[in-house]
Amino acid sequence: VYKVHKVHKVYKVLYEPYNFINLINEKKLRFFHWNKFSKIKPFSYFCKKENRMKKIYTLPELENMLTCQGEEENRLYSESKRIKNETIGNNVYLRGLIEISNICTKDCFYCGIRKSNTETARYALSDKEILDAADFAYTHHFGSIVLQGGERSDKAFVDRITRLLQEIKKNSNNELGVTLSLGEQTEDSYKRWKDAGAHRYLLRIETSNPELYAKIHPNNPLHSHATRLRCLESLQRCGYQTGTGVMIGLPFQTITDLANDLLFLQSMDIDMVGMGPYLEHHATPLYEYRHLLLSLQERLRLSIHMVAALRILMPDINIAATTALQAIEPAGREKALEIGANVVMPNITPTTNRTLYKLYENKPGTHEGAAESMRKLEESILKSGCKVAYGVWGDSRHFQSRTEN
Ligand code: SAH
């Protein structure tokens, strides 16, 4: 009885005031662009069970989720775990991560491969190395790969990625899913890559607060928050499953910023999220603010709270247990999987180059071979109460229902 009452209450707030209007306007609404925050939505929107039961969370509620301790923290974790298991189950999907190059035209103040860091030797994997790594993922039934790298948008680069995508798809009989994480590009490049076979794209907004964004990036058009937002919208328009995310525990960042990040992810109707703790790198400008940082353990805990809160907010999206989480403590990744995450990205970059793709210090797994990391990974996924789903793309359920509408 209590459950019915609760559902009814939530449902009432969302649904009743607009019931009548919606019934009348159902036909007209087809011509409007609406999203779940529009006051008027088509009646069919409310008929879907998951929308009827959706609760809107306020900023203070989210801040509380991020800072809670003790019993409250346990309740947060068990709630996010319950929602995850009820909505998407305990499968973990693999994305073989290929770090194609650390050559970057950008100069982000936090990142170890920023253009001005002259301490790092630069590399770019050959076509063969990339295709071999993709083949490794295919033959080991990973289901999909991620091509990630420093940011370049010159024609030679865009053409090369297009060609590589076509080859990867061909070599794997179209079976391997391909996610890209290659930064800001023109909508035309995004389209070309989509046509060539990529179907998911990751572009972190880094922070939803434009003022904080300005503090951690150079002040020039190449590092504009507005452009990054526009790129995310382009990706959605091109039909990608779109992923974004933020860094957690940046200098100058507040709990309110992070709670707003969660609301941002929800309002963008994002399909996948990768977020993890900010980890300092000595050869970057932000290093001088390291005295402002939370301890590593606190950043880890805050990141796990972010994952739990996001799972509660967006039950059917894909959430990655990121490498940065694991960098603080291997158990970090396990905890994230246990309470909300459902994707891991094992590094399958050839080991000779892996040490050079150093976004932050103590990046884990930079010395071990792919077979060894796989064994460890399976072990830790089982420990978290989840199981590896081999040989499938593991698309975001959210994307499927979003595009069905
Ligand atoms: N150039 C691409 C991808 C490479 S960087 C892009 O812009 O999308 C991938 C992600 O690593 C970044 O989006 C950032 O969130 C994260 N990252 C970079 N430096 C970091 C650091 N010092 N600590 C934690 N995460 C970092």
Side-chain angles (χ1 to χ4, degrees), residues 18-260:
Y18 311 118
N19 188 352
F20 185 58
I21 304 169
N22 284 323
L23 271 172
I24 301 172
N25 288 342
E26 172 83 354
K27 252 204 178 134
K28 281 191 201 157
L29 266 167
R30 283 198 202 127
F31 304 102
F32 287 112
H33 179 73
W34 60 275
N35 64 34
K36 64 179 163 216
F37 291 112
S38 312
K39 272 197 171 174
I40 299 176
K41 306 182 184 78
F43 184 64
S44 52
Y45 178 87
F46 295 103
C47 295
K48 282 192 130 191
K49 189 165 154 246
E50 67 261 29
N51 291 333
R52 219 165 53 217
M53 292 170 60
K54 210 165 271 172
K55 177 170 166 17
I56 307 274
Y57 288 91
T58 62
L59 198 62
E61 276 175 313
L62 292 171
E63 287 169 343
N64 188 44
M65 284 192 210
L66 299 182
T67 50
C68 65
Q69 297 182 8
E71 255 317 293
E72 255 192 299
E73 181 182 59
N74 292 339
R75 273 205 299 278
L76 170 74
Y77 290 163
S78 58
E79 181 65 357
S80 62
K81 186 175 169 175
R82 182 188 66 76
I83 288 179
K84 177 193 155 186
N85 287 330
E86 275 177 13
T87 320
I88 55 165
N90 70 345
N91 275 342
V92 171
Y93 302 106
L94 303 180
R95 321 287 185 225
L97 175 64
I98 310 173
E99 296 157 337
I100 63 167
S101 170
N102 67 354
I103 299 169
C104 195
T105 52
K106 290 214 170 180
D107 232 350
C108 310
F109 291 161
Y110 44 86
C111 186
I113 63 167
R114 64 196 299 267
K115 186 180 174 189
S116 305
N117 179 8
T118 48
E119 285 179 30
T120 299
R122 301 288 164 166
Y123 77 91
L125 297 186
S126 67
D127 287 3
K128 181 170 183 318
E129 282 171 316
I130 296 172
L131 295 173
D132 283 352
D135 202 49
F136 174 91
Y138 179 54
T139 50
H140 286 75
H141 310 288
F142 275 36
S144 47
I145 55 168
V146 180
L147 300 183
Q148 188 181 82
E151 215 161 298
R152 280 179 59 180
S153 52
D154 51 288
K155 186 168 181 307
F157 180 77
V158 175
D159 289 347
R160 179 174 180 234
I161 297 296
T162 311
R163 199 168 29 74
L164 283 167
L165 284 167
Q166 288 159 345
E167 290 210 32
I168 291 168
K169 294 304 278 189
K170 192 178 83 205
N171 295 349
S172 68
N173 300 317
N174 261 332
E175 283 171 32
L176 204 54
V178 187
T179 307
L180 296 178
S181 175
L182 300 170
E184 293 163 31
Q185 306 287 342
T186 61
E187 190 157 325
D188 188 53
S189 301
Y190 287 147
K191 263 200 206 109
R192 281 184 63 196
W193 291 346
K194 178 93 185 5
D195 292 341
H199 67 137
R200 298 188 280 237
Y201 203 106
L202 302 167
L203 181 73
R204 288 191 181 177
I205 190 73
E206 314 299 357
T207 168
S208 62
N209 177 349
E211 281 158 29
L212 177 57
Y213 193 91
K215 285 187 189 148
I216 62 170
H217 291 95
N219 177 16
N220 63 37
L222 194 61
H223 298 84
S224 136
H225 192 252
T227 306
R228 214 146 174 97
L229 262 177
R230 266 202 304 278
C231 284
L232 281 174
E233 286 163 1
S234 281
L235 289 164
Q236 288 180 323
R237 264 197 303 276
C238 291
Y240 282 96
Q241 285 176 54
T242 306
T244 188
V246 296
M247 281 179 286
I248 300 158
L250 285 161
F252 322 116
Q253 190 179 40
T254 64
I255 291 293
T256 309
D257 286 330
L258 289 168
N260 272 320

Side-chain angles (χ1 to χ4, degrees), residues 298-310:
E298 284 167 325
R299 269 176 270 169
L300 178 66
R301 189 156 150 236
L302 193 52
S303 304
I304 307 270
H305 279 230
M306 281 287 280
V307 170
L310 181 64

